[in-house]
Amino acid sequence: MTGVVCVLVAALALAAGIVLGRRWGRSRGVVPPTAAPPEPALADLLERVFSATDEGLVVVDRGGAAVLANRRARELGVVAGDKPDARAVAACADVRERGTTVAVDLSPLAARSRRPAAVLARVRPLGDGYTMVEATDTSDAVRLEATRRDFVANVSHELKTPVGAVGLLAEAVLDAADDPAEVRRFGTKIVREADRLGNLVTELIALSRLTGAEGLPELSRVAIDEVVCEALHRTRLSAEAARIEIVVDKPIGLEVEGDQTLLITALCNLIENAIAYSPAETPVSVSRRQSGDAVEIAVTDRGIGIAPEHQKRVFERFFRVDPARSRATGGTGLGLAIVKHVLANHGGEVRLWSSPGTGSTFTMRLPLAPDHAPVHTGGTS
Ligand code: ADP
């Protein structure tokens, strides 16, 4: 039995119960004979249930006309005037013939319609040639499924490139077996592709944990200065290789509640990007400051910057402004998606200011631990 039918049955039982209860009460003299508000009639209660349900309900007669329809059914476009959607009418005829419930897709056919994007209905026999259409807005489920499909397609595509490269390079190694210099050259490339595969898989696992239902593992107090110190330590080699100096401000002595490893990963991703998207010999700075009951860690570079139309999209999985450049720097296209989810899981957010040709500032904003002693200055210390 569906929810609606249950509700109808419950309403019937309730109404019958109220009526019987009243009668029984009066006959036993339990209910005082004061003027109680008149009880609603059973038909009135059923009418209320019919109107209040979230499902679009239409009762169709054997001629295919709608004899009853609630407001939701009109909103979902299942019925217009007394005419049900032609697909619903055909399903009703089918149900009358077979005597069993059938499912029918009643999604709008015109893309520009203001109705929900997806509507699914079940049609049931009610007897005597009547049928009932129960329609539900399934747009959210359809959107979710489309996102999931896109993600799987993107992941497959991202994995295919390095896997294909490893295969080709391995063949090249076999062909050049007698030439040690070539073997070394192809071997080095295989190692690079294997690293890329490893990073991609690690980041995919991190992202799926972050977007999963479990939330953060163990919350503990995390010192912001330790996060900054460890992230600088981990990105030192990349900075040296790119001849980029990382300028850092003084410790701030603030704490947040969260997962230290994830916060370090997020900050590392921002610093690695600042290095990857800046020319050599330009500085990158990391600064922290208190802002109200939050702490902000900003990573600023004087690199290529991001055009306004791309600024929102850079946090999407696999979005890259310039896929060739990202690939050349070993990017997975997942770094900023991870940053966004880490911050969201900590009740914070990541903000972006950027100007092409000038540079970018990514700011991680995190709520301070609840009983943290207030710090007197608002500026960077
Ligand atoms: P990737 O692995 O490609 O770096 P990210 O998710 O970290 O993936 O970043 C997504 C895209 O955002 C990058 O491909 C790049 O186009 C852009 N981007 C990120 N950080 C910066 C930055 N500091 N300066 C310029 N562009 C950036």
Side-chain angles (χ1 to χ4, degrees), residues 70-315:
N70 66 2
R71 191 162 54 90
R72 187 70 181 134
R74 295 181 197 286
E75 286 168 2
L76 295 177
V78 180
V79 67
D82 72 340
K83 276 202 167 44
D85 183 297
R87 292 165 293 177
V89 174
C92 289
D94 196 17
V95 167
R96 270 194 302 278
E97 208 174 293
R98 290 205 255 159
T100 54
T101 302
V102 302
V104 57
D105 184 356
L106 298 181
S107 305
L109 298 170
R112 280 187 297 112
S113 159
R114 277 170 49 228
R115 282 161 41 195
V119 177
L120 204 65
R122 296 185 76 75
V123 183
R124 314 178 174 280
L126 290 184
D128 298 325
Y130 287 89
T131 45
M132 178 159 77
V133 183
E134 299 168 18
T136 314
D137 176 357
T138 53
S139 314
D140 284 349
V142 168
R143 251 193 307 273
L144 208 68
E145 176 56 20
T147 311
R148 196 193 62 79
R149 240 183 292 121
D150 275 1
F151 182 61
V152 171
N154 280 334
V155 170
S156 317
H157 176 77
E158 296 290 334
L159 288 171
K160 223 172 99 190
T161 315
V163 167
V166 167
L168 289 174
L169 288 165
E171 276 176 26
V173 168
L174 291 177
D175 289 346
D178 302 331
D179 184 344
E182 283 291 272
V183 168
R184 211 166 307 117
R185 190 164 75 87
F186 291 130
T188 311
K189 286 189 176 178
I190 291 180
V191 170
R192 198 178 326 133
E193 292 301 329
D195 279 350
R196 187 198 297 279
L197 264 176
N199 287 343
L200 187 59
V201 172
T202 309
E203 296 206 331
L204 279 171
I205 292 171
L207 202 54
S208 93
R209 285 217 184 105
L210 283 167
T211 51
E214 306 103 79
L216 289 179
E218 270 291 280
L219 284 192
S220 56
R221 286 184 89 94
V222 181
I224 286 301
D225 297 330
E226 266 181 50
V227 172
V228 172
C229 187
E230 183 57 29
L232 289 173
H233 177 68
R234 290 195 198 170
T235 51
R236 197 167 51 92
L237 284 182
S238 313
E240 278 172 15
R243 299 201 311 282
I244 280 180
E245 188 197 352
I246 301 186
V247 183
V248 61
D249 63 353
K250 289 201 208 101
I252 195 170
L254 293 175
E255 288 181 334
V256 296
E257 234 169 42
D259 182 295
Q260 176 154 341
T261 314
L262 289 177
L263 291 173
I264 293 171
T265 303
L267 185 56
C268 279
N269 288 356
L270 294 183
I271 300 175
E272 290 284 2
N273 278 351
I275 296 168
Y277 299 103
S278 297
E281 318 287 353
T282 56
V284 163
S285 74
V286 178
S287 59
R288 42 211 135 158
R289 69 177 197 119
Q290 183 176 358
S291 159
D293 17 353
V295 57
E296 293 181 350
I297 312 173
V299 179
T300 302
D301 64 59
R302 295 197 196 147
I304 58 174
I306 302 167
E309 68 270 24
H310 293 138
Q311 290 182 10
K312 266 227 167 74
R313 298 209 59 199
V314 290
F315 295 98

